[in-house]
């Protein structure tokens, strides 16, 4: 059995399985709902359920209060459907995005170009390719869960490497990217996303 998810005001719809979160169902169909953590902790995916019934799952009360639930709000990364749903998501456009991609990347270099700026260069494995839209951004993730964001360059086709510029902390590591102990070649994962198009994810050492 599956339900139907309709997204307003754009008017697009997609199938929604009972075990799928609203976010997962939308992304699987190329419909780009706002999101970040995908675990219910950041609140980026909070949105209005206009009709239908949802189960809030692991949505924490400190992020989605009882009053907000009563008003029809939900964390789409946690909410699952109990009926057909109509939700409001003005960031979704008629242009379906690129499907989620996951692949390994290598930290090719981490160069300190000034006292408070570092440039991180990531490369894909030989033969791998990755497509994205200009305006998306890279989110570099470390094993400890810390993350930093950087804009993608405006060359979406044929790209096999990226350079990301970050501010650095007093210890010399990229701010928000310190591990214990500090590591000049950190293992990382990264994802490119925007409100208009699908996420692309990669992870590697």
């Amino acid at each position: 059995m599956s339900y139907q998810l309709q997204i307003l005001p754009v008017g697009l719809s997609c199938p929604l399985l009972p075990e799928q979160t609203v976010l997962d169902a939308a992304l699987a169909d190329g419909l780009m709902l706002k999101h970040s953590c995908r675990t219910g902790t950041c609140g980026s995916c909070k949105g209005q359920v206009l009709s239908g019934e949802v189960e809030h799952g692991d949505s924490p009360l400190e992020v989605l209060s009882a009053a907000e639930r009563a008003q029809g709000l939900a964390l789409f990364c946690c909410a699952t459907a109990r009926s057909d749903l109509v939700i409001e998501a003005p960031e979704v456009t008629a242009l379906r995005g690129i499907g989620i991609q996951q692949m390994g990347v290598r930290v090719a270099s981490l160069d300190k170009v000034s006292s408070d700026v570092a440039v991180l260069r990531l490369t894909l494995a030989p033969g791998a390719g990755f497509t994205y839209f200009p305006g998306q951004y890279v989110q570099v993730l470390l094993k400890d869960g810390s993350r930093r964001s950087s804009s993608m360059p405006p060359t979406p086709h044929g790209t096999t490497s990226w350079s990301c510029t970050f501010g650095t902390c007093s210890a010399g590591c990229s701010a928000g990217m310190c591990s214990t102990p500090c590591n000049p070649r950190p293992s990382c994962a990264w994802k490119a996303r925007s409100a208009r198009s699908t996420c692309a994810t990669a992870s590697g050492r």
Side-chain angles (χ1 to χ4, degrees), residues 99-120:
I100 294 174
Q101 305 164 74
Q102 187 167 349
M103 62 197 72
V105 298
R106 179 180 298 277
V107 178
S109 62
L110 181 59
D111 301 317
K112 192 172 181 181
V113 296
S114 72
S115 61
D116 60 353
V117 175
V119 176
L120 174 68

Side-chain angles (χ1 to χ4, degrees), residues 6 51 121 202:
Q6 184 178 13
S51 69
R121 186 172 181 81

Side-chain angles (χ1 to χ4, degrees), residues 2-17 20 22-33 51 83-89 92-97:
S2 66
Y3 300 118
Q4 194 74 6
L5 172 65
Q6 184 178 13
I7 302 176
L8 297 181
V10 70
L12 296 177
S13 61
C14 68
L16 176 58
L17 298 175
Q20 275 184 310
V22 173
L23 175 62
D24 284 343
L27 293 180
D29 205 59
L31 300 173
M32 299 301 103
L33 296 180
S51 69
S83 68
D84 291 340
L85 297 178
V86 179
I87 66 172
E88 185 177 37
V92 175
T93 70
L95 177 65
R96 277 176 158 83

Side-chain angles (χ1 to χ4, degrees), residues 38 99-105 130 189-193 199-203:
R38 302 185 74 160
I100 294 174
Q101 305 164 74
Q102 187 167 349
M103 62 197 72
V105 298
F130 179 71
W190 64 269
K191 57 181 64 181
R193 59 159 58 100
C199 305
T201 64
S203 61

Side-chain angles (χ1 to χ4, degrees), residues 48-72:
Q48 185 73 46
V49 178
L50 299 174
S51 69
E53 181 181 353
V54 298
E55 170 62 49
H56 291 287
D58 296 329
S59 302
L61 282 170
E62 60 268 24
V63 181
L64 184 71
S65 67
E68 289 176 317
R69 297 172 197 227
Q71 294 166 7

